Amino acid sequence: TLCSQPELVATQPKYAWGTALWFWMFSKPPGMETTSHVQSLEGSFGGSLNIINGGLECPADPQGYHVKAIVTRLRYYCIAASVVGVKRLLDMDGCEGLSEKFEECVMTGYCPECNDFFLDPSPAPSKAPSPAAPTEQPIGFRSWANDSWMGDIKRRDSSGMGVSSVFKVVTFLTVAYFGTQ
């Protein structure tokens, strides 16, 4: 669909979100073996920014548009972090010049929302869990074919619906449909 109608990304929200999510989760720049998602899980805002806009912003051309875009991005990052109650921002390493821009943003007063995060002595953000070791024996494709687990689910589902539960549901639906008179 998108190959024949790429304009859908700009005109249909489901395609815009889908392509953004795909890029975040799976896009690896040439020569890199990581994604924006992995960089964020590892605590690196700079690393994720480098994957998204690396050649334009890490480092940015001092005479170009992206110098201002970085400062604006940092300000919005601090605003979002404040709104959701983040205690510490992700690391700025991984994007050349980003730490300096962050400091400049705070020192010039352009990013007052970042003041609480600047030189904060709080502990480092948590790291992503280590990937689990592979199992010795792979699970066979037909291992799901044993349907005994379905009986457990059916028993569990039906056990919670006694006569009083059914009566409550019927009463609720009746009142919801007909209203109280």
Side-chain angles (χ1 to χ4, degrees):
T1 300
L2 294 178
C3 290
S4 62
Q5 297 175 300
E7 69 278 359
L8 291 175
V9 174
T11 59
Q12 298 291 319
K14 70 179 180 180
Y15 293 115
W17 280 104
T19 55
L21 183 60
W22 180 90
F23 185 89
W24 178 259
M25 297 293 292
F26 301 110
S27 180
K28 295 178 183 177
M32 294 183 82
E33 288 301 316
T34 188
T35 65
S36 297
H37 175 70
V38 170
Q39 287 294 299
S40 293
L41 287 176
E42 291 176 350
S44 179
F45 177 72
S48 65
L49 181 60
N50 191 17
I51 290 171
I52 296 168
N53 291 331
L56 301 171
E57 297 183 3
C58 299
D61 174 5
Q63 307 305 317
Y65 158 80
H66 290 280
V67 169
K68 292 179 182 174
I70 291 171
V71 173
T72 301
R73 184 180 330 284
L74 287 167
R75 182 169 181 232
Y76 288 152
Y77 179 44
C78 291
I79 291 169
S82 295
V83 167
V84 297
V86 169
K87 302 285 185 232
R88 184 175 191 273
L89 298 178
L90 296 178
D91 193 18
M92 300 289 167
D93 293 344
C95 178
E96 186 181 332
L98 187 60
S99 294
E100 292 81 9
K101 287 297 174 192
F102 181 68
E103 183 176 346
E104 179 184 314
C105 191
V106 171
M107 295 301 179
T108 60
Y110 183 75
C111 303
E113 300 84 3
C114 296
N115 290 345
D116 292 340
F117 299 109
F118 188 63
L119 299 177
D120 185 11
S122 62
S126 61
K127 298 288 183 185
S130 300
T135 58
E136 295 289 324
Q137 292 266 330
I139 297 172
F141 178 71
R142 297 283 301 162
S143 66
W144 55 269
N146 177 352
D147 290 342
S148 65
W149 57 271
M150 287 185 69
D152 293 339
I153 292 174
K154 288 176 184 173
R155 272 193 302 282
R156 216 177 7 227
D157 286 348
S158 62
S159 66
M161 287 296 276
V163 174
S164 71
S165 295
V166 171
F167 179 74
K168 289 176 186 175
V169 170
V170 170
T171 303
F172 171 77
L173 292 173
T174 304
V175 169
Y177 183 75
F178 293 109
T180 56
Q181 296 183 8

